[in-house]
Amino acid sequence: PEVTGAIREIVADYRSRILEIAQHANLPHDLPDPAEAHKQVPLGIPSGPKKPALERAFKPLGYTCHGATGTFTLRRRTASNLTVELYMDVGTWSHSVLAIFRVLGMGFKATVSLPVGARAVLHAQYPIGNAERWQQIVDNYATLVAELDRTLVPAIEAAAGPSPAWYRPES
């Protein structure tokens, strides 16, 4: 209970500040709010395959990419045997994205919804639009995930301690 309480406090802090964190993470693209994004990219313009952009952006960060259409899970293991994931729902017909960052360890799951940009609406889907916009979204998420890997994950590791090597919540 002591450990889960500490993790809960850390996650609550990050959830309350995630837009501020996104503003200070130097995201490479200043994406418009969702209503404006819908106006800028007409419906019906394909964004193309999603996975290649995800693999290019997240492989250097140590993540593997699982999924083909609709949803993707990007995953890595930490030195203390925690599993870090970015779950992305890209829809099959809505062409919108929603992302959740998770840290999983023995006895806990810490989750934070990620904004696509500093002006995004939290917990809401964001229109993907065309291939160029998809690349911008991926670039922003990769930058924000790198920031959370640098700050949030170590804070959770310090509070939780290591998980056993055999513990793999993804299996």
Side-chain angles (χ1 to χ4, degrees), residues 142-159:
T143 301
L144 188 52
V145 165
E147 177 65 17
L148 295 176
D149 277 346
R150 189 181 69 74
T151 61
L152 175 62
V153 174
I156 290 174
E157 283 180 314

Side-chain angles (χ1 to χ4, degrees), residues 21-84:
I21 292 166
Q23 287 175 337
H24 292 31
N26 295 319
L27 300 181
H29 306 285
D30 182 23
L31 298 176
D33 66 63
E36 186 61 30
H38 273 296
K39 293 177 195 173
Q40 289 180 355
V41 180
L43 294 175
I45 296 178
S47 59
K50 311 284 186 301
K51 193 170 185 173
L54 291 170
E55 289 176 328
R56 280 191 305 274
F58 286 91
K59 187 175 182 181
L61 300 176
Y63 286 81
T64 59
C65 183
H66 307 276
T69 60
T71 62
F72 293 95
T73 302
L74 297 109
R75 183 179 296 128
R76 74 175 184 87
R77 296 277 288 182
T78 70
S80 62
N81 298 316
L82 301 184
T83 298
V84 181

Side-chain angles (χ1 to χ4, degrees), residues 104-123:
L104 309 161
M106 186 73 146
F108 74 91
K109 175 172 67 170
T111 63
V112 177
S113 292
L114 298 187
V116 72
R119 295 188 286 159
V121 177
L122 283 177
H123 314 294

